[in-house]
Amino acid sequence: MAFIAAGNIILEYVISGAAVGRSWTSYFTALCGRENADDFRIKTNLANDFNLLDPIAVVILLLTGLVATWSTRVTSLLNWIASFANMAIILFVIIAGLVKAEPSNLTPFLPYGVRGVFSAASVLFFAYLGFDAVATMAEETKNPARDIPIGLMTSMIITTVLYCLMALTLSMMQPYTAIDPNAAFALAFRDRAGWKWAQYVISLGALKGMTTVLLVNAVGQARYVTHIARTHMIPPWFAKVSENTGTPIRATIVMFSASAVVAFFSSLDVLANLLSISTLFIFMLVAVALLVRRYYVSGYTDNKSLRYFQAFLALILLSSGGTAYYWATHDGWLGYVVTIPIWFLSTLVLAVVVPQARHPQTWGCPFVPWVPSLSILINIFLLASIDRLSFIRFAVWTGLILMYYLLLGLHASYDVASGSEREESHTEEGKNFDMKPKPPMQN
């Protein structure tokens, strides 16, 4: 399960980089004053959703990857500068957009009904991907037990509020049928507000914002890959940290190269759906892992408590899956009368009957098991709104990484875990002969 999570986290970052690269091209096209967002893409006879080749996305991804390998400190400085510019653009969009807003455009308020809301939520869930990158910086944070939770919660609240305000602004500026799927805000100001100059300001701000996202992703994804490689679940070659720059150059280059290849062929819709499946699945696994960590400690938890925990966790997962299946296949409400009470009672009995084996020392998730159980239910429920082809692509990827794990990763990681401490310390960078300590990643 841990390797499935690790493999899909890698997939998340590859796909998210590709998606941002494709969006970068669309806003660059708008910045150049072009009417069609696909003007700079090359049309081919390949299958739909893969027939518009995007060389600009490839170039921006490779250039961003090179900047990220230069220095983490330089990357962080560029992010700080860009973030202030991004905030100015976001405030401009909200304030200026509301000046041109027409409340009548909010009618009908739910044009696609409740199913449309959840379908959109399942696709947009990949917007939460960047938050888990905060946790990857724990090794380089002075007081991670305090700073990581503060950073996660504060950034999530601010981003959610701004996201909702921008969505409201866009929806009030024009009818939902007129929203452009590629460069929505830039074209809304140009076509609906009549401010052609604003198109260039917003497009430039969007490009700066997406470049910042790519740089942040570079920091997070390289550390994911580096830590996984240190266990030898993937080749330790990826764990090499440059002595000159203090950055994991190999992991960064390989990940951005993979994103560039995917961005070259795949449409934004395909990328968004696949990314959302991976993100929802990972968040569900995190919630399950939290319950396991709180309720089970090897050698401490007695067999009776373990059996109860396993039974109630299985009921939580099955009832959540049943709720999602009923949502995807039926329009009624009768099925929820069965699945929701099972979920609720399973969580309630787990909270009352089974004692927690571990408690957080400094900071931990509150209201366990309710919060992780609700997270499991919501994540699995949102998965039911994603299309079948995306599930097939997700299953193919998961099958491939499992094959790799069973044939190679399992044995390599076991050898490292059972080896001596000295051997492990000298094989983290793929070296068995160099006694020099590995350079730390820059903070």
Side-chain angles (χ1 to χ4, degrees), residues 341-419:
I342 292 176
W343 169 84
F344 178 82
L345 291 174
S346 301
T347 308
L348 177 63
V349 177
L350 176 62
V352 173
V353 173
V354 183
Q356 294 190 27
R358 180 187 284 113
H359 297 275
Q361 295 181 352
T362 304
W363 188 93
C365 177
F367 306 112
V368 175
W370 292 103
V371 169
S373 181
L374 184 61
S375 177
I376 292 171
L377 176 65
I378 293 174
N379 286 309
I380 294 179
F381 181 77
L382 289 176
L383 282 170
S385 298
I386 300 178
D387 65 285
R388 183 175 62 88
L389 280 176
S390 297
F391 274 101
I392 294 174
R393 297 182 183 112
F394 175 76
V396 169
W397 167 255
T398 302
L400 289 175
I401 62 175
L402 275 177
M403 287 178 58
Y404 170 84
Y405 177 68
L406 294 174
L407 296 175
L408 297 172
L410 172 64
H411 310 285
S413 59
Y414 177 81
D415 291 341
V416 171
S418 60

Side-chain angles (χ1 to χ4, degrees), residues 10 87 141 155 159 229 263 278 289 301 315 318 322 325 343 345 355 367 369 376 396 400 403 405 422 429 440:
I10 292 175
M87 288 300 298
T141 305
S155 61
T159 303
S278 182
T301 305
L315 286 173
L318 290 173
Y325 178 78
W343 169 84
L345 291 174
F367 306 112
I376 292 171
V396 169
L400 289 175
M403 287 178 58
Y405 177 68
R422 178 179 179 276
E429 298 180 18

Side-chain angles (χ1 to χ4, degrees), residues 7 19 46 49 56 72 130 142 222 236 246 263 273 294 296 312 338 407 411:
L46 297 174
D49 294 327
I56 294 178
T72 303
K142 292 181 179 179
N273 281 320
R294 287 290 185 90
Y296 174 74
F312 294 132
V338 177
L407 296 175
H411 310 285

Side-chain angles (χ1 to χ4, degrees), residues 149-214:
I150 292 174
L152 280 169
M153 298 304 297
T154 304
S155 61
M156 185 170 292
I157 291 171
I158 293 173
T159 303
T160 301
V161 171
L162 292 177
Y163 209 124
C164 293
L165 287 175
M166 291 186 71
L168 178 65
T169 301
L170 181 65
S171 300
M172 293 178 66
M173 286 183 66
Q174 57 189 337
Y176 72 96
T177 54
I179 295 176
D180 186 275
N182 293 300
F185 287 97
L187 299 183
F189 275 89
R190 185 193 69 185
D191 298 334
R192 310 303 297 184
W195 296 351
K196 189 173 182 179
W197 59 270
Q199 168 190 352
Y200 303 106
V201 174
I202 294 171
S203 297
L204 183 60
L207 293 179
K208 289 172 66 64
M210 287 183 283
T211 304
T212 302
V213 170
L214 290 174

Side-chain angles (χ1 to χ4, degrees), residues 15 19 49 119-120 122-124 126 267-280 383 385-391 393-394:
I15 299 300
D49 294 327
S119 179
S122 65
V123 174
L124 286 176
F126 73 83
S267 71
L268 189 58
D269 287 341
V270 170
L271 296 174
N273 281 320
L274 184 57
L275 181 57
S276 292
I277 287 181
S278 182
T279 306
L280 287 164
L383 282 170
S385 298
I386 300 178
D387 65 285
R388 183 175 62 88
L389 280 176
S390 297
F391 274 101
R393 297 182 183 112
F394 175 76

Side-chain angles (χ1 to χ4, degrees), residues 5-24:
N8 279 288
I9 286 173
I10 292 175
L11 177 66
E12 279 183 353
Y13 276 100
V14 170
I15 299 300
S16 66
V20 174
R22 298 283 294 200
S23 297
W24 203 99

